[in-house]
Amino acid sequence: MSDDVIQIEIDGKEHQAKRGQMIIEATDAAKSYVPRFCYHTKLSVAANCRMCLVEVEKAPKPLPACATPVAEGMKIFTRSPYAIAAQKATMEFLLINHPLDCPICDQGGECELQDIAMGYGRGVSRYNDNKRVVKDKDIGPLVSTDMTRCIHCTRCVRFGEEVTGVQDLGTVMRGENMRIDTYVEKSIDHELSANIIDLCPVGALNNKPYRYSARSWEMVQHETIAAHDCVGSNLYAHVLRGKIKRIVPRENELINETWISDRDRFSYEGIYSENRLTTPMIKKAGQWEAISWEEGLLETVKQIKLAKQSATAFLASPSSTIEECYLISKLAAAQGINNLDHRLRMKDFTDQINDPNESLLGMEIAAIEQCEQIILIGSDVRREAPILGHRVRKAALSGANVCIIDENEHQYYFDLQAYLSGSLIKNLAAIILALGGQLPASLNSLTSKIKLTDEQQKIAETLKKTDKKHLILGHAAINHPYASIIRLLTTEIANLSNASYGYITQGANTAGANLMGIQPTRDFAGNPRAEIGRNTQEIVSAANDLLVLLNAEPVRDIPELDAASNKSKFVIALTTHATENHKEVADLLLPIGSFAETSGTYINCEGRWQSFGGVANPVGESRPAWKVLRAIGSLLELKDFEYDSSESILDEVNVKLQNVTPCDAATKFSIQAKHGKQDILGEQMVKAVPMYETDMILRHASSLQLTPEAIRSSSK
C-alpha cells in the first residue's frame, strides 16, 4: 500500500483515504453525506458555517469535517446522536436571523438552506428577539441581493479573491453586525461575476433578469453548449413553456469546470429582443414587406439560378454549426461556387494557402493551468474567452510565467513576468534574435532595426529553461494587417524553443467551419481547392450578382460591408435579427433560429466535438438554418439533399471523414512578406471587438448591455 493511502473508519465501515485529505472529502467518497454551507470543492476552506460538524473518536468536541485532515486509524461518525445534535444546534443558530420567506424567494425549491433545514432544523424557533435586517445593495444589472438571508458562508467573497482576483465583495463589521458588502455601489465588474449566484447556498444572491419570473419546479432542464466563444462551455437551459428563463453551468472538469461566463449565462435575453426577425421579408422599391416562407425560398432559388457562379458568394458566421457549414459547402460545390468564407474580420490573407485545417488552441483546455510559461500574443484572453482566461490565471497563481505581447493594454488580475507593448512584429522578431535564431529570409532586412530589451531577453531565457510552454495567438493577432508575418514569427519562436502554439479563434466553431470547407482555398476536410475562390475582403469589395449571409451582420460582423460599399446586386441574409444594417444592405431576410432554437454540433478550440439539441421553441416563423439550407438545396433539385434531422447530416459528415484523409496544415510557414515600403514594425492597434458585441444575440441581451464593461466599450 502506498504511503499516501491510509485506513480510516466511517460510520463503522473501513475505507481508504489519501493522507492529508479532509474528512469531508473522505466522507463524500464513501457516500456518507455530511451537511455543509461554506465548503465548496473549488474554493479554499473557511470552516465558518460549522454545519459539517462530525464526531471523531477521542476528540474532545465535534470537529468541522471540511477543515480536519484524516489520520491513520481515525474513526469518524457522521450520523451518531452526538454529531446530529451538533449539526442541529448549528442549524438553529443559522436560522435565528433568516427571514424564512421561502414562498417569494427565487431560491425556493433548490435552496441548500431549505433542504438541510428539513433534515436538521427545529419545527419551532426558541429565539424571540427581533431578527437582524440588512439593507440590500445594488451590485449591478446581473445579480440581485437580499442580504438579510445571508448566512455568512463567504463563498462569494472567496470566489472574488481566489477565482476572479477582484475583491468586490467582503465582510464588514463583526459579530451580530457582520455583513457581506461592497465598498462601491454597482461594483461587480468581472466576466465571471455571476457565478456567485450558483455559489450562494441561500437566496441572498440571485439572478436579477430572472427574478420572480418562474419557479424552479415549473421548468424543464435541457443540456446545451455555449455559442459565444471557442471554449464550448457546458450549460443547462431552464425552460418554461418553450421559453428560456435562465442559463446555469453544467459541470465539465475538462472544459469549464463549474463556471460559465456572464455572456453565456445572460445571452438568452437577446433571443427575445424586439429586433428578432419573425417572418421572411423582402425589399420592394426601397420598402420592406413581410412575405411567406414559400415566397422567400422561391425568391432565393430564383436569385441563385440567375447569378453567375463566379459572381455568387457565401459569408457565414464562425459560430455556424457543423451541419450548417456542411450544407453551405455542399450547396456551393454543387453550384461550382468557390467564393465562400467565415473569416469575417481578417485583413491579411497572404498566407491563406497554409491556413490551418483546424484552427485549434494546440493543447487541451485543462492543460493550460499545468504550463510553466504562457505567452499571449495579441490576445485579451479575459474577454475573448473568459474560461481560458481563468485557466491562465490558475497557471499564473501556480507559478507559471505569463507574458503578454500586445499593442493594446489590458488588465489582468495576476502577476505577469513581462508585458511587451508596441509592435507585435518587432517584439516577436526580437525574441527570435534573443533565442539565438535568425529572422526568416523575407524579413532579414529588419534585423538591424531591432534592439533587444531586458524584458525580451528575459522571456527568451525563460523559454530556454522551461519545459511546458505554450504560445497563444489571440484575436488582435489573427485580425492584424500582417497576421501572416505574426504567425510566421510565432512558429519560428515555437521551433527554436520547442514550445507548442495555438489560437483563440473567433466564434464557437471556427475549427468546424475550416474542416467543412467554408473558405476559398480549402474544400471539405481541408483539402486544397482546384480553383481558389475569393476571400472575405475580395467578396465584399466585388460586384457580386448574389451575396448570401448566414447569421452575420453587415458592419458589426463584417466591418467592410455597409450600404455605401456594397456592390452586390442582390443580398440574402439568413439572420436571427432584423437590424438596421441588415435592412440597409440586404434585399431578402430569412428568419433563422438562434443557438437555443436549433440542434447542431460545434468543434471547440481543443478539437472536441460537442452536439446539442434545440431547447426552446422558435420565435415567430424562424426556422433552424440547416432546415432552410436543406429546403434551398431541394428546390434547386440538388442530389442527396433530403435530410430529416441535423443528426442525419452529422452522420453523413462522419462517414465522409472516415473515407477522406484530412489535409494537414503546414507546420512551418514560408511566405514572402508583401510589405513593400510600409513600416511593418510600426504599431497597428487592431481594435478589439467588445466582449458583449461579438454576435447579434449578445448585442440584443439587454442586461449585458447595462454592465460596466458594456458601458466602457460603448464610450470608446
Side-chain angles (χ1 to χ4, degrees):
M1 184 182 299
S2 171
D3 292 338
D4 291 333
V5 178
I6 60 176
Q7 293 292 130
I8 62 172
E9 186 178 294
I10 301 175
D11 294 329
K13 295 181 180 179
E14 293 284 335
H15 291 278
Q16 290 184 342
K18 293 181 180 178
R19 191 177 301 277
Q21 196 175 33
M22 297 300 162
I23 289 176
I24 200 167
E25 296 174 297
T27 55
D28 284 351
K31 306 288 191 241
S32 292
Y33 177 73
V34 175
R36 79 289 306 265
F37 290 116
C38 67
Y39 176 76
H40 193 277
T41 55
K42 297 296 181 182
L43 303 175
S44 63
V45 172
N48 46 17
C49 78
R50 317 308 281 185
M51 194 65 221
C52 64
L53 292 174
V54 295
E55 181 183 0
V56 175
E57 188 181 55
K58 298 180 181 179
K61 59 182 180 180
L63 300 178
C66 67
T68 306
V70 295
E72 181 69 50
M74 180 182 278
K75 294 184 178 181
I76 304 161
F77 305 93
T78 67
R79 301 296 298 167
S80 67
Y82 187 59
I84 291 177
Q87 292 160 0
K88 285 187 174 182
T90 301
M91 190 75 241
E92 185 175 10
F93 275 105
L94 290 174
L95 291 176
I96 280 177
N97 285 309
H98 198 77
L100 300 179
D101 55 351
C102 303
I104 64 162
C105 179
D106 278 328
Q107 197 88 344
E110 53 189 7
C111 175
E112 294 177 50
L113 182 72
Q114 196 176 53
D115 293 341
I116 294 176
M118 290 295 294
Y120 301 89
R122 294 173 59 92
V124 178
S125 175
R126 292 182 289 177
Y127 186 76
N128 296 318
D129 294 332
N130 293 328
K131 293 192 177 217
R132 182 190 63 177
V133 176
V134 181
K135 183 181 178 183
D136 296 332
K137 199 94 171 181
D138 184 359
I139 60 174
L142 306 180
V143 183
S144 66
T145 62
D146 291 277
M147 300 312 294
T148 301
R149 299 170 182 162
C150 179
I151 60 171
H152 304 155
C153 71
T154 69
R155 283 184 182 180
C156 57
V157 178
R158 285 175 283 148
F159 174 79
E161 294 174 348
E162 299 165 15
V163 178
T164 69
V166 184
Q167 298 181 15
D168 286 328
L169 295 171
T171 58
V172 297
M173 311 298 285
R174 300 181 66 184
E176 176 73 9
N177 298 315
M178 176 183 166
R179 65 181 187 271
I180 306 296
D181 210 336
T182 62
Y183 298 105
V184 181
E185 294 277 354
K186 301 181 180 180
S187 64
I188 299 296
D189 185 16
H190 192 274
E191 59 275 10
L192 301 177
S193 65
N195 284 288
I196 60 176
I197 297 168
D198 309 312
L199 285 174
C200 184
V202 298
L205 302 172
N206 281 304
N207 186 319
K208 186 176 277 189
Y210 164 77
R211 193 170 175 85
Y212 301 141
S213 64
R215 306 307 306 231
S216 60
W217 55 84
E218 297 177 310
M219 299 182 290
V220 179
Q221 180 170 274
H222 298 279
E223 295 182 359
T224 189
I225 302 297
H228 307 297
D229 59 40
C230 60
V231 173
S233 294
N234 288 201
L235 314 173
Y236 284 120
H238 292 170
V239 180
L240 178 63
R241 292 186 285 276
K243 184 176 180 180
I244 296 177
K245 301 303 261 184
R246 66 180 178 184
I247 299 283
V248 298
R250 174 160 56 98
E251 187 171 350
N252 189 326
E253 283 296 318
L254 298 177
I255 301 176
N256 56 293
E257 300 177 275
T258 60
W259 320 119
I260 58 173
S261 67
D262 291 353
R263 67 181 176 191
D264 289 336
R265 187 185 298 271
F266 297 104
S267 66
Y268 72 91
E269 286 187 302
I271 298 172
Y272 306 107
S273 87
E274 294 179 355
N275 271 358
R276 269 305 295 267
L277 181 64
T278 58
T279 186
M281 298 181 74
I282 193 168
K283 188 188 291 182
K284 293 182 179 179
Q287 299 297 316
W288 284 96
E289 296 179 9
I291 57 175
S292 67
W293 262 110
E294 183 181 7
E295 292 174 291
L297 291 171
L298 289 174
E299 182 65 26
T300 301
V301 171
K302 172 188 170 183
Q303 294 297 332
I304 292 174
K305 289 180 177 179
L306 286 174
K308 295 178 182 178
Q309 293 176 351
S310 60
T312 302
F314 294 85
L315 292 176
S317 162
S319 291
S320 304
T321 65
I322 285 282
E323 294 79 0
E324 293 161 2
C325 290
Y326 176 69
L327 291 187
I328 291 174
S329 181
K330 189 174 181 178
L331 193 156
Q335 298 293 300
I337 300 167
N338 293 326
N339 307 317
L340 66 169
D341 212 340
H342 68 278
R343 302 162 299 175
L344 306 182
R345 300 182 184 277
M346 273 187 62
K347 296 180 178 66
D348 182 11
F349 297 91
T350 308
D351 195 33
Q352 65 174 348
I353 195 69
N354 291 318
D355 205 19
N357 170 31
E358 290 184 293
S359 297
L360 300 175
L361 184 63
M363 65 166 43
E364 294 181 349
I365 292 171
I368 290 176
E369 58 192 75
Q370 306 302 322
C371 290
E372 297 172 16
Q373 184 171 20
I374 299 170
I375 301 180
L376 298 168
I377 304 165
S379 173
D380 184 5
V381 66
R382 282 184 52 208
R383 293 168 176 79
E384 293 168 2
I387 295 299
L388 293 185
H390 166 60
R391 296 280 191 177
V392 172
R393 171 175 157 79
K394 288 179 73 175
L397 295 179
S398 298
N401 294 303
V402 180
C403 311
I404 296 176
I405 305 173
D406 208 322
E407 294 170 356
N408 300 289
E409 291 189 7
H410 311 294
Q411 186 178 22
Y412 290 91
Y413 300 111
F414 52 84
D415 292 333
L416 297 171
Q417 183 193 27
Y419 200 132
L420 302 186
S421 58
S423 167
L424 289 180
I425 294 174
K426 189 174 184 178
N427 280 306
L428 293 172
I431 292 172
I432 290 175
L433 297 176
L435 286 168
Q438 294 183 340
L439 298 184
S442 59
L443 302 172
N444 242 340
S445 61
L446 303 177
T447 304
S448 60
K449 300 178 182 179
I450 296 171
K451 294 182 179 179
L452 297 182
T453 66
D454 291 341
E455 285 193 321
Q456 292 163 349
Q457 290 178 324
K458 185 179 179 182
I459 291 173
E461 288 299 317
T462 309
L463 280 170
K464 292 176 184 177
K465 294 176 183 177
T466 50
D467 294 324
K468 298 178 181 178
K469 47 214 168 187
H470 193 65
L471 315 179
I472 301 176
L473 293 160
H475 294 182
I478 294 170
N479 298 330
H480 198 278
Y482 303 118
S484 57
I485 298 175
I486 291 170
R487 185 168 62 183
L488 173 64
L489 296 175
T490 301
T491 56
E492 188 64 23
I493 293 172
N495 293 332
L496 287 170
S497 62
N498 196 29
S500 56
Y501 75 97
Y503 306 84
I504 300 177
T505 52
Q506 299 163 100
N509 195 38
T510 292
N514 279 332
L515 192 62
M516 294 301 104
I518 309 298
Q519 54 177 309
T521 58
R522 293 177 180 269
D523 206 338
F524 182 83
N527 293 297
R529 293 184 183 274
E531 183 180 346
I532 294 177
R534 289 182 277 123
N535 59 53
T536 298
Q537 286 200 329
E538 293 167 339
I539 288 171
V540 298
S541 61
N544 303 293
D545 288 347
L546 176 63
L547 174 60
V548 181
L549 308 178
L550 175 59
N551 212 17
E553 182 183 356
V555 184
R556 306 291 292 275
D557 293 322
I558 314 170
E560 287 79 13
L561 181 61
D562 57 25
S565 65
N566 178 39
K567 301 175 184 177
S568 300
K569 293 179 182 178
F570 202 89
V571 179
I572 301 173
L574 283 67
T575 177
T576 56
H577 292 75
T579 69
E580 288 303 314
N581 290 321
H582 279 112
K583 291 178 179 179
E584 289 178 1
V585 173
D587 300 282
L588 176 64
L589 302 178
L590 300 178
I592 61 172
S594 66
F595 70 94
E597 300 158 325
T598 187
S599 55
T601 305
Y602 293 140
I603 302 178
N604 76 351
C605 59
E606 64 178 8
R608 187 184 301 270
W609 293 53
Q610 298 188 107
S611 295
F612 57 93
V615 301
N617 293 338
V619 174
E621 296 181 29
S622 62
R623 298 290 183 267
W626 71 264
K627 287 188 176 182
V628 178
L629 294 167
R630 178 201 62 184
I632 294 170
S634 297
L635 290 171
L636 287 168
E637 299 181 349
L638 301 182
K639 186 180 178 182
D640 299 328
F641 242 85
E642 298 296 330
Y643 303 99
D644 56 8
S645 66
S646 64
E647 288 80 7
S648 62
I649 303 171
L650 187 62
D651 289 342
E652 185 173 308
V653 169
N654 287 325
V655 169
K656 284 192 174 182
L657 286 175
Q658 287 178 349
N659 300 327
V660 177
T661 302
C663 178
D664 292 327
T667 55
K668 271 194 171 183
F669 303 105
S670 179
I671 66 169
Q672 296 300 315
K674 298 180 181 179
H675 53 83
K677 295 181 179 179
Q678 298 180 50
D679 180 18
I680 66 169
L681 295 181
E683 294 183 43
Q684 299 297 320
M685 301 297 288
V686 178
K687 188 177 180 181
V689 180
M691 182 165 53
Y692 300 138
E693 295 183 20
T694 54
D695 58 60
M696 281 185 286
I697 299 295
L698 288 171
R699 291 171 207 140
H700 292 88
S702 55
S703 296
L704 290 175
Q705 300 308 319
L706 296 174
T707 60
E709 174 69 25
I711 294 169
R712 282 194 301 270
S713 300
S714 64
S715 64
K716 292 181 180 178

